Amino acid sequence: SQTNQSSDAPRQMASKVVLLLVAALACVLGGAEAKLGRLVVSGVVPCKTGSLIDIATSPVYADAEVELRCAGQVVAGATTNTNGSFTMEADLTSALAAFIGRCSLVVDTPLIKCDAQLPPAGKLVSYLQGPLTRLLGGIFHLFPAGFSFHGR
């Protein structure tokens, strides 16, 4: 369906850009032992259900556990502050193979903890977005593409 294609397009484009960037970095850095840099992911977690939740119009989720999962493995994690914000880092060298495959941010902390009116089961999930073509000081900075609620 068109909805499926449009939601997969950013992820497919991101994977292609990362592959090209990794190839360029490998040429520049040379040796297999060279570190490729750091992956920094930051954002705000909403306390709301729905698809591609607009953080600007949603309450935030304080003290939520956020995980960066790549190909089923937890690569990094963080806890949101009182403003619902988080920042996490991962060594791109160790996470690279999984990162190219498929990564998403996952909040398994039940939404009922931030709003008693919300479902006690389910999770928030977001793919990543960001300027993958810009490597500043060895750091890739990515952000949530938009959290969506997935019931269990």
Side-chain angles (χ1 to χ4, degrees):
S1 79
Q2 188 167 352
T3 305
N4 243 1
Q5 289 173 346
S6 65
S7 66
D8 287 345
R11 188 174 55 236
Q12 291 170 349
M13 180 63 163
S15 292
K16 289 176 186 175
V17 171
V18 170
L19 284 171
L20 290 172
L21 187 56
V22 170
L25 282 172
C27 292
V28 171
L29 296 174
E33 299 300 314
K35 289 207 175 218
L36 294 177
R38 308 285 306 159
L39 171 64
V40 177
V41 180
S42 60
V44 177
V45 176
C47 180
K48 192 173 180 179
T49 58
S51 292
L52 297 176
I53 301 163
D54 182 1
I55 195 64
T57 61
S58 302
V60 298
Y61 196 162
D63 296 320
E65 298 294 323
V66 185
E67 294 179 339
L68 175 61
R69 295 183 189 172
C70 300
Q73 301 280 37
V74 176
V75 175
T79 302
T80 60
N81 64 17
T82 55
N83 297 323
S85 299
F86 69 91
T87 298
M88 64 180 76
E89 283 190 33
D91 182 338
L92 197 57
T93 304
S94 62
L96 191 57
F99 181 70
I100 291 170
R102 214 160 144 166
C103 289
S104 59
L105 294 169
V106 179
V107 179
D108 274 329
T109 311
L111 288 177
I112 199 168
K113 284 190 164 191
C114 67
D115 183 340
Q117 306 278 334
L118 295 176
K123 59 187 173 186
L124 293 170
V125 178
S126 176
Y127 292 107
L128 299 170
Q129 68 180 3
L132 294 174
T133 56
R134 286 193 296 162
L135 178 65
L136 303 174
I139 298 173
F140 289 96
H141 202 146
L142 301 178
F143 311 91
F147 282 96
S148 295
F149 179 75
H150 297 258
R152 292 193 177 143

